[in-house]
Amino acid sequence: MSTSLAAEAAAPVICIVGARPNYMKVAPIIRAFAAHNPPIPTLLVHTGQHYDPAMKDRLFADLELPEPDINLAVGSGSHAVQTAEVMKRFEPVIDQFGASAVLVVGDVNSTLACALVASKRHIPVIHVESGLRSNDRRMPEEINRILTDQISDVLYTTERSAHDNLAREGIAAERAVFVGNVMIDSLRASLPKAVPADVLLAQAGLDARRIEHGYGVVTLHRPSNVDHPEVLGPIIDALYAVSRKLPLVIALHPRTRGNLERFGMLAKLDTPGFLVLPPQGYLEMLGLMSGARMVLTDSGGIQEETTALGVPCITIRENTERPITVEQGTNTLVGIDPQAIVAAAEQVLATGGKAGRVPEYWDGRCAERIAAHLHDWLLTHPRQA
């Protein structure tokens, strides 16, 4: 049991993690709940949606996140199978421990699954990172976001434009609370411990001198980008063109590596311009990004992290659910056209890229605001049996 749970007789707030991006969001929330006066009792549940034990242990240690009280060990499966399995395994947790609320973050399958179970048990659902929209319902994450917001009782938002999205979907304004971006809490707390890029490359047996005049970072994992050779091939060709002007460090996602092998494209990365690493821990990625001249990615979270770090980001997607990173931050949305990718990278090299600014409330204190608001909200909105 979490320390705060053991200290309190009240039913806990059950906090859900299921996949890597969730860890960075829940870690500061757990700390803020424990530090609140009085502490907010918690129960940390890991659904096991992402289930690499070594990577999980590494990330939990990096983020100083306590070991989960319960691991549902769901594992992989189709979206339907995974969502159903989380629901089946999560409901008995509520039966055993009770809950004053269920707190979910982000937009993964575990987020929607646990929110559905809680809502049907008349337990308040608290959604952190509400109201983000890509307006592309072909993305499973978009469906998860929309449905979770509809059944949530408290919707904590990272940016004010999210409130417009929620209003258009008929969600009452009083349910949404602007608190800022909790991922930036983790980033600010962890930055002093980040592993520098040259140290990381040396540990991996790569020549760190290859990046002494600057480097870029690449992450690529989104199924729409990596599952089809007619899409992945031109993207890799564009990255090769960029790598001839700036060395690119690639933390290669297992899905991407597998597809490159399957499509006969892995050899394209075996050139002097690419430095290929396995998937990295949080502190390692933070060190890579903070020292980079640019980051090329299809990740949602990295768009936010690069904006907070002031590092130019080129997003290889047709849309983004995080428009504030484009409007105020360092992010440029280029789509998947190879010429557009190369042109954007050349622009960064020529001008230094977008300077941007850190958005409102991305100040490292988001979790404190969540804890203060939720404590008061739970006192005035007791669970209805």
Side-chain angles (χ1 to χ4, degrees):
M1 294 269 179
S2 300
T3 302
S4 54
L5 178 61
E8 297 282 341
V13 175
I14 299 181
C15 298
I16 306 298
V17 294
R20 174 178 174 139
N22 299 163
Y23 306 160
M24 284 78 91
K25 298 165 191 173
V26 168
I29 292 172
I30 293 285
R31 288 195 293 272
F33 284 4
H36 188 270
N37 187 17
I40 299 171
T42 59
L43 185 79
L44 180 59
V45 174
H46 193 314
T47 67
Q49 178 178 330
H50 282 185
Y51 53 94
D52 182 333
M55 185 58 73
K56 190 276 290 182
D57 291 346
R58 186 174 180 181
L59 287 167
F60 271 55
D62 287 351
L63 293 162
E64 299 179 4
L65 184 61
E67 278 297 305
D69 297 302
I70 295 169
N71 192 325
L72 303 181
V74 167
S76 62
S78 70
H79 286 279
V81 167
Q82 197 172 63
T83 302
E85 198 62 38
V86 171
M87 293 178 70
K88 285 168 56 181
R89 299 189 187 195
F90 179 54
E91 187 168 41
V93 174
I94 291 176
D95 292 334
Q96 181 177 356
F97 295 99
S100 60
V102 171
L103 184 145
V104 295
V105 298
D107 53 22
V108 300
N109 289 338
S110 297
T111 300
L112 176 59
C114 293
L116 282 168
V117 171
S119 182
K120 292 189 175 189
R121 295 291 298 266
H122 308 293
I123 296 169
V125 176
I126 315 301
H127 187 201
V128 176
E129 200 181 74
S130 292
L132 297 181
R133 299 291 182 268
S134 67
N135 298 309
D136 181 359
R137 294 202 179 192
R138 295 171 299 177
M139 297 175 61
E141 298 90 346
E142 183 79 348
I143 303 301
N144 291 343
R145 285 189 284 264
I146 291 170
L147 296 179
T148 301
D149 283 343
Q150 284 294 329
I151 59 176
S152 292
D153 297 271
V154 180
L155 299 91
Y156 290 123
T157 63
T158 62
E159 56 192 79
R160 294 191 185 274
S161 65
H163 293 250
D164 297 330
N165 295 332
L166 296 172
R168 280 192 295 270
E169 294 169 8
I171 293 172
E174 59 267 22
R175 287 163 57 192
V177 183
F178 174 49
V179 292
N181 194 331
V182 75
M183 278 189 69
I184 308 308
D185 291 19
S186 283
L187 183 147
R188 286 177 175 267
S190 301
L191 197 54
K193 301 179 290 182
V195 180
D198 56 347
V199 173
L200 180 60
L201 293 182
Q203 291 173 345
L206 298 171
D207 187 354
R209 292 173 299 178
R210 291 163 64 184
I211 64 167
E212 61 187 1
H213 299 298
Y215 65 94
V217 173
V218 176
T219 76
L220 205 62
H221 75 282
R222 197 162 292 277
S224 59
N225 279 346
V226 306
D227 284 0
H228 310 286
E230 67 274 14
V231 177
L232 181 58
I235 291 175
I236 296 298
D237 290 342
L239 295 175
Y240 171 75
V242 175
S243 75
R244 298 183 65 184
K245 302 178 181 182
L246 180 73
L248 296 179
V249 181
I250 302 182
L252 199 55
H253 191 280
R255 183 187 196 110
T256 309
R257 176 181 286 277
N259 284 337
L260 286 169
E261 290 177 343
R262 186 157 57 95
F263 303 149
M265 298 177 185
L266 190 58
K268 290 186 175 185
L269 302 183
D270 189 18
T271 68
F274 289 123
L275 295 96
V276 180
L277 295 172
Q280 296 298 302
Y282 181 65
L283 298 180
E284 287 79 8
M285 281 304 300
L286 200 51
L288 283 174
M289 290 190 294
S290 62
R293 292 181 65 180
M294 71 178 77
V295 175
L296 301 100
T297 188
D298 58 10
S299 162
I302 286 178
Q303 296 172 54
E304 296 175 321
E305 290 167 336
T306 48
T307 279
L309 292 167
V311 174
C313 180
I314 296 169
T315 297
I316 305 172
R317 286 173 50 183
E318 300 293 345
N319 50 56
T320 179
E321 63 283 354
R322 293 164 169 86
I324 198 169
T325 63
V326 176
E327 296 160 2
Q328 298 183 23
T330 60
N331 188 19
T332 300
L333 193 66
V334 298
I336 60 173
D337 177 68
Q339 293 182 337
I341 297 168
V342 174
E346 290 176 341
Q347 180 74 7
V348 172
L349 292 175
T351 67
K354 294 169 67 174
R357 66 179 178 86
V358 177
E360 182 184 9
Y361 275 3
W362 291 26
D363 57 1
R365 301 186 63 185
C366 174
E368 294 176 30
R369 288 187 282 270
I370 291 172
H373 178 271
L374 184 59
H375 174 266
D376 293 347
W377 188 91
L378 288 172
L379 289 177
T380 56
H381 295 77
R383 174 185 172 186
Q384 300 297 312

